[in-house]
Each structure stands twice: as structure tokens, then as C-alpha cells.
Amino acid sequence: MTKIRLHNSRTRRKEALAPLDPENVRMYVCGPTVYDRAHLGNARPVVVFDVLYRLLRHVYGADQVTYVRNFTDVDDKINARAREMQAAGDTRDLNTIIRALTDETIGWYHADMDALGALRPTHEPRATEFIPQMVEMIEGLVAAGHAYAAEGHVLFDVRSYPDYGKLSGRSVDDMIAGARVEVAPYKRDPMDFVLWKPSSAEEPGWDSPWGQGRPGWHIECSAMSHELLGPAFDIHGGGIDLQFPHHENEIAQSCCAHKEAGFANIWLHNEMVQVEGKKMSKSLGNFFTVRDLLDQGWPGEVIRFVMLQTHYRKPMDWTEEKAQGAERTLRKWFNFLKAKHLDFTSQNWPLYLTHDAYAPDPQIVSALGDDLNTPLAIARLHKLSESPEYDHVNSMLGSMILLGLIGPQTNIDLLSTSGVGWSGYFDEEIEKRIVSLLLARQSARKQKDFARADDIRDGLVQAGVNIEDTADGPQWGLSKNFDPAKLEALK
């Protein structure tokens, strides 16, 4: 059996995964707050933990892995967006708007993550479906002296949990000095956090021993993970931005509610996403949702491939150059697979997804087992694509399936057709024109007329034709910025 070693954020070292129950490996990942489209940063943990989910299923068996990723559908941000909709003219009551908004956003999320090749988790609980479990957990924390009620709120007493801060590596006093925390008169300590808060008559609210109200954000994940995975499970994951305070608070309340359990054994955190070397920001004009990129013509496979090129514990930089390179590589690989599998078409290729003959390459499985080393796995895929041996072709197909680069959403015919850009643009006369220019470039290079060769290449690139020189000759494709008028003007 493949050994899996993962970097545990809590211990700050790589550890062997030793499941509490090898017949039910359990993982919880914090999901989105559903009030808007998922942006590129939201998508990274989805892709990272989808790779881990696929690896766990491969090693332990698809029926032996339970993966939970929640939807936060009760939150102040959701309430604020619903009020904005009312202010814009929506005449429905707030709760009706909120339900419609969260339903629609979950639908968007599923469509966008499906496009990235992400498998659906075993369970996708909505926070509003587990309010009784949250109330019960809060009651237990109050009874045990770890929480207290004050002015309609219930707050967790951070000082009652001596290990608070071990995940993020800071003392409580350091956190108070460096963090922006809500200072309210009903708090005993500035770091105490809300487990339950009062709701107005129009806001989402539920009956509780402390009056009509709604849960705080942190208690939601603790209650849902306990209900669906038990008091102790194997892996808890999310973006590094959740390490504090969300995950720190989850640990505190869960370990105090179930003192002997230990909560999650291994904590994984993926780093943040940048765009063209800068932090994503609407003010900088480099803020993209996944849907923005899909609508621009980038297939989900390209977005996923760009993400996998960077190790999950390093910041990932989305650039146009990387996306174009991923486009060229994937087209090359799909062409390679089609050349070896003559019936590898969009109509019948899903049959390959579960075929025993297409086991992933052992070196790729080993790379993923070493803390999800996807860059090393991709390097191995490059080598497999250069091998003519048929069993290597099978391994390559199996490996791409394991990495999620081929899935039910993949349009094999589009991604592997020479001369077709991701936008689906195709014209036989344009293809002839490009091929003619590339042949003229090759002829100029043979005659050592490098100025002429460079002029042709530069003109093609400016027209939006991507060119990659390979041992088998130039490979080309059309970018989403392809301009046929500029191509026609070339001589």
C-alpha cells in the first residue's frame, strides 16, 4: 500500500497518515460562505483537497473514504447581501431572499467546481440543517464552564482552553496585541468568540435557551464534522487564511466539548493565490471569479493544471503565460493519447475512467503520497508523454484521471484538435494560412534567414497564434485573443 505523508500544520512537520479506521478514512474541509461567485482563491482548496480525496480513494478504496465539505448558509455577509437586494427593489422578505440567494450560489459553486474536474464530496451539509446539533454542543460547553451567556450572546471562554494558539503558533496575549478582534462590553476577554448571537425578527433565527438567534461561524464546522465524522477524524483542511481564527477556534471548542477525542489528527493548509505576481484585489483590476475565467474561454482543465503546477503549501501565481503554457501542454498530451487510443473520443472515453487497465503510474502515486507533490507528478507526466511504450500510455491516462485532468466534464475532441483554440474557433482556410506561414518560417531558418523567420513568428504571436517548437516540429493553437485580420495581413 502506498504510504501517504502529509505536512501537519499543527506539529509543523511531515507525518505519516495513520487512519483511525482504514475502512473509513475521514476528511473535513471548510467550504464556502454562499453569497457570491467563487473566486480563484476559493477554488484552490477545492482542487488541492480533491487531489487528496482522489489519492485516498485510490489507496484505500472509493468506498472507504468519507469527505465532508460544508456550505455556510447563515452568516452576516449573506444577510448584508440580501439587504442590498431589498434596497435594489426586491420586495420579498429577508429570509425568502436569503434562501433563494444561497440556493442559487450553491448551484453556481457546483457548476464552477465541476468544470475544474472536482469530485463532489461524500457529504455537503448546509449549516442551517444542523442547528440543533450546534445548540446541543453550545449547551455542553456552557455546562462544562468553557462558555458563558451574556446579553443574548453565548461566548467561548478562550482562557479555559490552555492549548489555544498551538495551531497558529501564537499565545493568546500575542493574538490580542496583533489581531483585530471585536471588543464588546459583554466579553470577559477580548479573544472570546461568539458561539451564538441574537437575531432580529426579520433575520434568520432559531429558538434556543438563550433566545431567538443564530450560530457563530466557528461552531458550525465543529457541529457538522462531529455529526458526520465523529468526535475524532483523520484530516481537516482549508486555506491558510482560515488557520486563525477559524480553525484555532474549531479546535478549542471541539476539544473542550469532547475532551478525550482529539478532534482532527492532521491539519492541512494551502497557501494563497496571486494574479500576475500581485495579491488579488478588485481595486487592482486583477480579481477573477472562476466563472470569469471560464467565460473568457479558459477550460477548467487549464485552470486546474495551472494550480497543480505549484505545490499547495506555496503561494500560487495565476498568469496569462502560465495559462497559455498549460493550454499547449494539455493539447499535446490529449493529442498523444488520441494517437495511441484510436477510439479515444468524447463519445466513449468515459469508459476509460474506471477501466482496470489504466492504473496510474507508480511514481506519480508516490509523488502525491509525499505531501501532494503535484509538481513532481506533472514532471513525470511529461516523461510519460515522451515514451512510445503502450503501457506508459495507459499509465499516463490513469495518472491524468487520478490528478483530475481528465474527467466527465472534459471535451476531449476540443482540447486535442490541432488548430482549435480554447475558444472553439476553427476555420479551414485559417489553418491552411497558419501552416503555410510556419512552413515558410522553417524554410527561412534552413536558409539561415533568421530575421525573416523571427518576423513570421512575431507576426503569428501578435495575431494570437501560440507556437511551441518541439522535436516533431512546431505545434500551434489559437489563443482567446486571436485576431484573423492580423493573420491575413502577414506576408
Side-chain angles (χ1 to χ4, degrees), residues 130-150 152-157 193-198 206-211 213-224 226 249 252-254 256-258:
F130 291 81
I131 301 295
Q133 291 88 339
M134 297 174 201
V135 171
E136 182 181 0
M137 183 174 283
I138 295 169
E139 287 182 302
L141 289 168
V142 171
H146 292 291
Y148 58 93
H153 295 74
V154 181
L155 298 108
F156 184 86
D157 182 357
F193 57 88
V194 172
L195 301 174
W196 189 263
K197 64 177 70 176
W206 293 263
D207 290 333
S208 80
W210 317 283
R214 59 190 188 274
W217 175 32
H218 314 298
I219 196 67
E220 296 176 7
C221 288
S222 286
M224 287 185 283
H226 178 267
N249 292 351
Q253 62 202 11
S254 293
C256 289
H258 310 285

Side-chain angles (χ1 to χ4, degrees), residues 201-242:
E202 65 169 357
E203 292 175 327
W206 293 263
D207 290 333
S208 80
W210 317 283
Q212 183 83 353
R214 59 190 188 274
W217 175 32
H218 314 298
I219 196 67
E220 296 176 7
C221 288
S222 286
M224 287 185 283
S225 64
H226 178 267
E227 183 71 15
L228 296 171
L229 299 177
F233 51 94
D234 301 299
I235 300 167
H236 195 312
I240 191 65
D241 56 315
L242 298 182

Side-chain angles (χ1 to χ4, degrees), residues 246-372:
H246 184 51
H247 289 164
E248 197 77 74
N249 292 351
E250 273 191 75
I251 290 172
Q253 62 202 11
S254 293
C255 288
C256 289
H258 310 285
K259 294 184 183 298
E260 306 302 320
F263 200 36
N265 281 352
I266 293 179
W267 286 82
L268 299 183
H269 292 95
N270 64 272
E271 265 290 351
M272 306 295 283
V273 171
Q274 299 175 326
V275 174
E276 301 290 347
K278 297 180 180 178
K279 182 179 178 180
M280 266 203 314
S281 168
K282 290 182 179 179
S283 63
L284 293 176
N286 66 349
F287 182 91
F288 299 117
T289 67
V290 173
R291 180 51 50 182
D292 288 336
L293 293 174
L294 293 170
D295 288 346
Q296 288 172 18
W298 296 113
E301 292 81 5
V302 170
I303 300 170
R304 184 183 184 98
F305 188 71
V306 172
M307 290 187 173
L308 296 183
Q309 286 177 308
T310 302
H311 191 270
Y312 78 93
R313 288 198 298 113
K314 294 183 179 180
M316 190 215 91
D317 191 16
W318 171 273
T319 69
E320 191 89 358
E321 182 179 0
K322 283 184 179 180
Q324 291 175 354
E327 169 190 335
R328 291 192 296 269
T329 297
L330 285 175
R331 183 181 291 118
K332 176 182 176 182
W333 287 353
F334 285 130
N335 275 326
F336 175 78
L337 291 172
K338 287 192 74 173
K340 301 297 180 180
H341 295 274
L342 299 180
D343 59 345
F344 190 62
T345 66
S346 291
Q347 286 71 39
N348 64 20
W349 76 263
L351 297 176
Y352 291 91
L353 294 177
T354 57
H355 200 294
D356 291 340
Y358 305 103
D361 178 72
Q363 291 186 41
I364 287 179
V365 176
S366 178
L368 296 180
D370 184 15
D371 198 30
L372 302 182

Side-chain angles (χ1 to χ4, degrees), residues 38-48 109 113 116 273 290 303 307:
H39 59 68
L40 201 56
N42 300 141
R44 194 179 190 194
V46 174
V47 172
V48 167
Y109 187 83
M113 299 310 115
L116 299 187
V273 171
V290 173
I303 300 170
M307 290 187 173

